[in-house]
Amino acid sequence: MATVSAPKQVSVKEDAEALRKACQGWGTDEKAIIAVLGHRNAAQRRQIRHVYEEIYQEDLIKRLESELSGHFEKAVYRWILDPPDRDAVLANVELKKSGNKHHVIVEISCTKNPEELLAIRRAYHARYKRSLEEEVAYHTKGDTRRLLVALVSAFRYYGEEINTTLAKSEAKKLHEAIKDKKFGNEDVIRILSTRSIAQLLATFNCYREQEGTSITKNLPKDSSDEYIAMLRMAVRCLKDPKKYFEKVLRRSIEGIGTDEDALTRVIVTRAEKDLKEIKELYHKRNNVPLDKAVDKETSGDYKDMLLTLLGNEV
Amino acid sequence: MANPCEVEVLNNALSGIGVDEKSLVSILTKSQNEHKKSMRKGCSKFFLEDERQFERWNDSAIKSLKAEFKLFKDVVVLSLMHPWERDARLLKKALKKGPPHYNVIVEIACTRSSDQLLGARKAYHSLFDRSIEEDLASHVKGSERKLLVALVSAYRYEGPKVKEDAAKSEAKALLNAIKNNNGDHKKKAMEEDEVIWILTTRSKPHLKVVYEQYKKISAKTITEDLEVELLLKETVECLCTPQTYFTRVFDTALREDAKEDAKKALTRLVATQEDVDLKGIAAKFEDKIKERVKGAYKDVLLGVLADDRK
């Protein structure tokens, strides 16, 4: 369930005016921005941007980008975009980073339903004039490339039908590949990137029945091999996305310092979907509510924005 | 007694591509038993006399006649189907029939627009309760698997923007992959990761530039260098020079010795390609169509390729 509370009826005209007022003159009224945008759903935000442009002849997003800064600005920018567009931007940012880690690509491709992933790929075309697949292929090599391109190109069947015989035999194939440490094996990539979610869950269950442990436990955890880390991530995302997101949140908060990018990403992308359940998982696991942890670890307008998206009144 | 020219009419009506329904109707309605008997004696192509002097139909002639009659039915059924259902069914059939028919998969995956291919994938979900990617990945066993799954999963960017530099270096990469594999028989070019990602994720305008760049650095075109790997060659053809591919389909189908699959390929093209380009090619073959094709099937071909069709 969503944590963001958006009233059913809003006057987008008034919202646009309020945002305009918040940006005029000296300084910016960040609280007003949070008060409006933090309580609007995707459709409403889209309408506000449209009306704002009509009335004031400028792009609201560009305006906000110039008025705000730091983590707060990043959060608002990601929040105000349409969900598919947002994920396209997140994917692009991730690909432009140097190094081999492309966890966000795995996250995006494995936690969305087929239509959502498709919408992201369309949004990527529109924004970057290339396909997401070719960019991923271009920025990666070897096993990583084969896995990521396959995951990102997937258009899985979305029904609930399962073939138990198939699940058993594919569980066996996965086990053999893992046992022989052939993690980049074609069967592994094929199964993970083409089977429907229902079928995969059945396969993972068969795996556990056959081997006694879950498949994730059999994938080496602290491997320095980036490919194995991504493979493990893919399995976890496909198996239980909420549990995965809880862990991302936990990791971003614990220890010294906070990973604001990860924190923002999870909260902004799940606030309208299942952040409520993720919060509950967090509370169970860490004995402290997520809101409290965020309150403690962040500050200022950034904190207020996150808390609002988490459903609080600041 | 049957007229010698009636025998000829019968021969003609059942030869070539398709069948001349009108002539057949007039022969049948005007013939009595004596007529039919002498026609059987006169058409040695379709009838034979066995060792007991019994005049019977030639079995293989019946089989090929069946295929000819089917051409019209196929073109009707295919043309009326929703394009997505059509492509999904064609893909399923090709997969079922096995490796010699994988070129149909290549044809569909490479000549459809991004959204059309996507529609076919959706239709496949609805019709067969699986994704085409799963079925391909689990049924194709050989070296073609990676290529076919990737082709069918593509959702290419369709804008005109192309990066020249990337195209140049990718042409080089393709040349390397092809040259390296000409001697090495362990791995085919179509299994090379470089080849696969370039051909299955880049946009068509981009690939056309890659094709041109390749010509500059190699003595031949990519398709010429890929003579040994037919599937890969057709992939490049359909993506970069679809006209060449279409022309070849027309040419092969309209030959004297054209096989069933060649004619089916023609039917498939005519029913599924809506490109204005197809008309240009068809104009070249109009005379051949008028000469070799018969009956209702011919009318459909000519009508479909006529100027006033939208």
Side-chain angles (χ1 to χ4, degrees), chain B residues 82-94:
Chain B
H82 189 297
W84 297 354
E85 178 184 352
R86 196 173 52 206
D87 286 344
R89 290 198 188 274
L90 286 171
L91 285 168
K92 178 76 158 178
K93 214 174 186 187

Side-chain angles (χ1 to χ4, degrees), chain A residues 130-144:
Chain A
R130 310 200 87 98
S131 66
L132 176 57
E133 301 89 283
E134 60 185 300
E135 295 263 69
V136 170
Y138 185 71
H139 285 101
T140 52
K141 279 201 277 272
D143 285 342
T144 307

